[in-house]
Amino acid sequence: MGEDVKAVFEKAKSAVVRITADDFHGSLVGTGFFINPSGTVFTAYSVAGESWNVVVEFGEKKFPAVRLVADERSGLAVLKIAGTGTPFIPLGKPSELVVASAIMSIGYPMDLPVAPNVGFLAGFDQKYLGGYLSTTHLRANIPVHRGEQGSPILNLKGEAVGVLVARMDDGKGTCYALPIHAARKVFHDYERFGVPRPGWVGVNVKATGAFDAEGSEAVVRLLEEDSPAAKAGIKEGDVILGVGDLKFKRPSDMIDASFFLTGGETIPITLRRGEQILTLNVLAIDNPIVPPPNQLNELLELDRYHYFMQLEREQYAEGEPAPSVPASTPKLKLNATTP
């Protein structure tokens, strides 16, 4: 395993970056990694979600970064630097992991050079300290030092299977990582809509106490009035067998199903009602507990505006031609409504 770890580290370390920024508490430092050759960086929300003066240190150079995504729900932030041809880490499949799978991280501890950490997958958790996570997370027995938030979690094939988003204060070197397919969902939303767009159908479920013939104990309860699910014909007492490609066994499966819903998209929900098995198509709406997509988009556009202004000032000072600020940059509207 030592040779595998060494090989992965040598291959992937050039795609791992140090991130510095400022927030209301002072200066902060973290880690991120390129996911494509276009300069797109995945990191943790705690590093770049609410900070400013964000700089990506890549090789011997430093680049100002624009924030594309700041998603507090998932704990992910996505940055972009100018230029193309960046090295990147290929994205893997967390579904191929099992408990005790060997995994590793690569990060920048404190002010030290990039370094590997090795450990094992300890679990797939939906809950921590009595509270539910936004989706199933990878619990990893990997030591985490200051500066390593946002590091990639890799399998021994050199693929990123998670983004390190939280360190557990248990003194045992345990951390949580957002699975890479969840990070990809958030970024895919950005590519299509300009913002994360979590969906909502208004279904609450509880355990029946016994598994259905199809293997599910998730029964619908407290169906929201006028919700997308109610309008599609789902009723209280229906047993949920699956949402999209996700097969249900327990009520907690709704956590993952809900995370991967997208506002404005139709999702098939399969259920048992008495002796019948039905599949109903439900049009998810934008989640009502998060800011409306167009308001989020305007906030992010404002952030991009400040990025271009900063870049213009820096390049003007160096005597280089400055990029023009996008004419589409909007004025902030605090009363924006959900489309």
Side-chain angles (χ1 to χ4, degrees), residues 68-120:
L68 302 181
V69 175
D71 185 41
E72 187 174 12
R73 184 176 76 136
S74 65
L76 180 74
V78 183
L79 306 175
K80 178 80 165 60
I81 66 169
T84 59
T86 56
F88 64 94
I89 298 176
L91 307 184
K93 297 180 179 179
S95 60
E96 295 178 351
L97 299 174
V98 296
V99 172
S101 290
I103 52 177
M104 61 182 291
S105 68
I106 301 176
Y108 283 89
M110 297 170 285
D111 60 349
L112 300 173
V114 65
N117 288 305
V118 183
F120 297 90

Side-chain angles (χ1 to χ4, degrees), residues 126 132 136 205 218 246 248-257:
Q126 294 177 326
Y132 285 97
T136 297
V205 292
L246 178 64
F248 266 52
K249 290 190 177 298
R250 296 176 175 82
S252 58
D253 289 332
M254 186 58 77
I255 294 171
D256 290 328

Side-chain angles (χ1 to χ4, degrees), residues 21 39 46 49 63 115 121 147 151 157 176 178 181-182 207 214 226 280 300 302:
S46 59
F63 298 86
L121 181 67
S151 297
K157 293 188 289 185
Y176 272 123
L178 180 73
H181 62 287
E214 278 68 36
D226 293 327
L280 302 177
L300 288 169
L302 192 65

Side-chain angles (χ1 to χ4, degrees), residues 71 73-74 94-95 126 133-137 161 178-189 192-193 196-201 243-246 248 252-268 282 284-285 287:
D71 185 41
R73 184 176 76 136
S74 65
S95 60
Q126 294 177 326
L133 303 171
S134 59
T135 187
T136 297
H137 279 50
V161 292
L178 180 73
I180 205 67
H181 62 287
R184 291 179 69 175
K185 191 274 180 193
V186 174
F187 185 56
H188 188 43
D189 277 1
R192 292 184 295 166
F193 309 116
R197 197 169 176 183
W200 181 79
V201 294
V243 175
D245 295 330
L246 178 64
F248 266 52
S252 58
D253 289 332
M254 186 58 77
I255 294 171
D256 290 328
S258 296
F259 182 89
F260 288 94
L261 293 175
T262 300
E265 290 191 351
T266 298
I267 187 79
V282 182
I285 65 172
N287 195 310

Side-chain angles (χ1 to χ4, degrees), residues 22 32 41 61 65 79 103 120 123 147 160 195 237 246 290 296 307:
D22 297 317
V41 175
K61 297 183 178 181
L79 306 175
I103 52 177
F120 297 90
V195 289
L246 178 64
V290 299
L296 279 172
Y307 162 76

